[in-house]
Each structure stands twice: as C-alpha cells, then as structure tokens.
C-alpha cells in the first residue's frame, strides 16, 4: 500500500519518509488513471532558472498550453524550469471544474530534496528514496518527453535516458516515446552529438 498526498508545500519538510520505487510508480499510475487517461508529457529542465528569465516564462506558457490541449504534465516538482512548467499548468487547471484536471500536474519529489527545497504547488507523489528512482519515475511514466529551454547536465541525462530507452525498445518491439527538444541549446547539443560522436538521433526525436 502507498499514501497519495495532496499537498501544497509552504516550506521544506524535515520529516519525510522515503517510498520504494514500486510505491512511487504505483502512485503515479493511480494519478494518471484519475486524470482521465490523458497522455502525460515528462518535462525536463534546469533547476537554476530564475523567474525573470525569458526561458522561465516560456516554460510557464508551455505548461499552460499542454493542459489546455488535453495533456498532463509530469516533472521533478521543485525549482527552476520544473516550477515554471508547474505554475503554468496549475493556472490552466484552475480554470476547469472537472475533477480529473486536478490530477494533471504531477511532481515527483525525493525525500532528500524535501529536507532542503520547497515543492511546487501541484499534485505530488510519495517521496522517492533516491535520485535514480525519482528520475526513472519521471522518464518511465511520461508518454512524451520534452526537453525545456536551459539545459543542465541533469536535464541532458534525463532526456538521454528516454532516447536510450527508445533505442532498446526498437529491438524489443516496445512502444517508442516521442522526444521533443525545445530551444537553441538543444540544437547545439544535437549538432555536437552528430559531428563529434557520429551519433544520429532516431526519428522520434524532434527539435
């Protein structure tokens, strides 16, 4: 069994109990079902983005647009671009009275981060015990992956995990997840991968 938490964090928590990876995954699937089985977009972006940056405002607009177009958003649940996409999604969700909309903005927390950081105002899963579990929950539960503007090493690692998963799935016949990379920084990343390493990204990756 697991506990589903409906919380708006006003301050960092010091008494968070870690959940197992299975508990986090089960909770995420429960949320997705209650959201009306809409496709969810896993949103990845740098944690150090500031609210006055153009990219931050762009992420807010993307979050709102995804909800408006019938998607749910799945993200890391804390600061920077994660907070921006969550804020945009939450503003759009507030417009709708249908109960399933409240489940369409999911942040995946981690107990270690909960002791230091404030969660965004969104629906949250139980706190993952490790960074690996948290990252896997975000990448595996999204139907589409979106790399937001402002790319950090963590952002690249998360997006690459989805691309690598698609590569493996191409041999096993499992469904492939589209990957969308937004912004000029991602174009440079793709160019570097192509020219320096000879890597050709698959057709489901769009930038």
């Amino acid at each position: 069994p697991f506990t589903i938490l409906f919380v708006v964090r006003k301050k960092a928590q010091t008494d968070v109990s870690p959940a197992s990876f299975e508990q986090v995954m089960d909770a995420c699937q429960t949320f997705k079902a209650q959201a009306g089985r809409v496709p969810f977009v896993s949103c990845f972006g740098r944690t150090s983005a500031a609210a006055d940056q153009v990219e931050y405002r762009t992420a807010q607009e993307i979050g709102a647009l995804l909800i408006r177009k019938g998607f749910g958003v799945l993200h890391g649940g804390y600061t920077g671009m994660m907070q921006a996409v969550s804020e945009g999604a939450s503003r759009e969700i507030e417009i709708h009275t249908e109960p399933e909309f409240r489940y369409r903005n999911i942040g995946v927390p981690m107990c270690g981060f909960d002791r230091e950081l404030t969660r965004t105002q969104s629906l949250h899963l139980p706190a993952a015990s490790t960074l690996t579990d948290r990252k896997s929950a975000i990448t595996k539960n999204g139907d589409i992956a979106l790399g937001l503007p402002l790319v950090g090493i963590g952002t690249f690692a998360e997006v690459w995990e989805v691309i690598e998963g698609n590569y493996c799935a191409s041999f096993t016949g499992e469904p492939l997840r589209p990957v969308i990379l937004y912004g000029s920084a991602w174009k440079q990343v793709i160019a570097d991968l192509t020219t320096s390493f000879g890597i050709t990204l698959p057709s489901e990756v769009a930038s």
Side-chain angles (χ1 to χ4, degrees):
F2 58 84
T3 301
I4 295 179
L5 305 176
F6 297 88
V7 292
V8 176
R9 297 294 192 187
K10 297 301 183 182
K11 60 180 180 180
Q13 303 295 298
T14 58
D15 57 349
V16 178
S17 299
S20 69
F21 180 63
E22 291 74 18
Q23 289 174 318
V24 174
M25 293 292 284
D26 286 348
C28 192
Q29 288 300 313
T30 299
F31 282 1
K32 290 179 70 176
Q34 292 173 316
R37 294 294 182 186
V38 298
F40 269 76
V41 180
S42 297
C43 301
F44 306 108
R46 204 165 69 190
T47 60
S48 58
D52 59 351
Q53 289 183 270
V54 173
E55 293 86 353
Y56 190 99
R57 294 192 293 272
T58 298
Q60 289 177 317
E61 294 170 3
I62 289 172
L65 180 63
L66 288 172
I67 299 298
R68 194 177 309 133
K69 294 298 184 179
F71 294 89
V73 296
L74 185 67
H75 51 83
Y78 293 106
T79 62
M81 300 298 274
M82 298 175 287
Q83 181 174 349
V85 78
S86 177
E87 289 172 347
S90 292
R91 284 203 296 265
E92 185 67 25
I93 287 170
E94 289 174 0
I95 299 172
H96 299 271
T97 58
E98 300 90 335
E100 60 267 23
F101 273 88
R102 68 181 301 198
Y103 296 96
R104 295 184 183 178
N105 182 10
I106 302 175
V108 183
M110 191 183 83
C111 56
F113 289 161
D114 264 350
R115 299 186 181 101
E116 302 173 0
L117 301 173
T118 301
R119 293 187 187 182
T120 56
Q121 294 186 8
S122 61
L123 190 66
H124 291 279
L125 279 67
S129 60
T130 68
L131 190 59
T132 299
D133 283 357
R134 175 173 170 265
K135 182 176 70 171
S136 293
I138 300 170
T139 57
K140 293 181 184 301
N141 283 294
D143 302 287
I144 301 168
L146 171 62
L148 296 165
L150 296 181
V151 183
I153 184 63
T155 309
F156 177 79
E158 290 162 340
V159 169
W160 189 256
E161 183 169 315
V162 180
I163 295 173
E164 183 183 21
N166 281 344
Y167 175 77
C168 296
S170 68
F171 295 101
T172 63
E174 296 174 83
L176 304 181
R177 285 173 290 172
V179 180
I180 302 169
L181 306 177
Y182 185 93
S184 58
W186 284 112
K187 289 187 179 295
Q188 185 60 52
V189 169
I190 293 173
D192 289 343
L193 289 171
T194 302
T195 58
S196 300
F197 298 97
I199 296 174
T200 300
L201 294 181
S203 58
E204 66 271 9
V205 177
S207 64

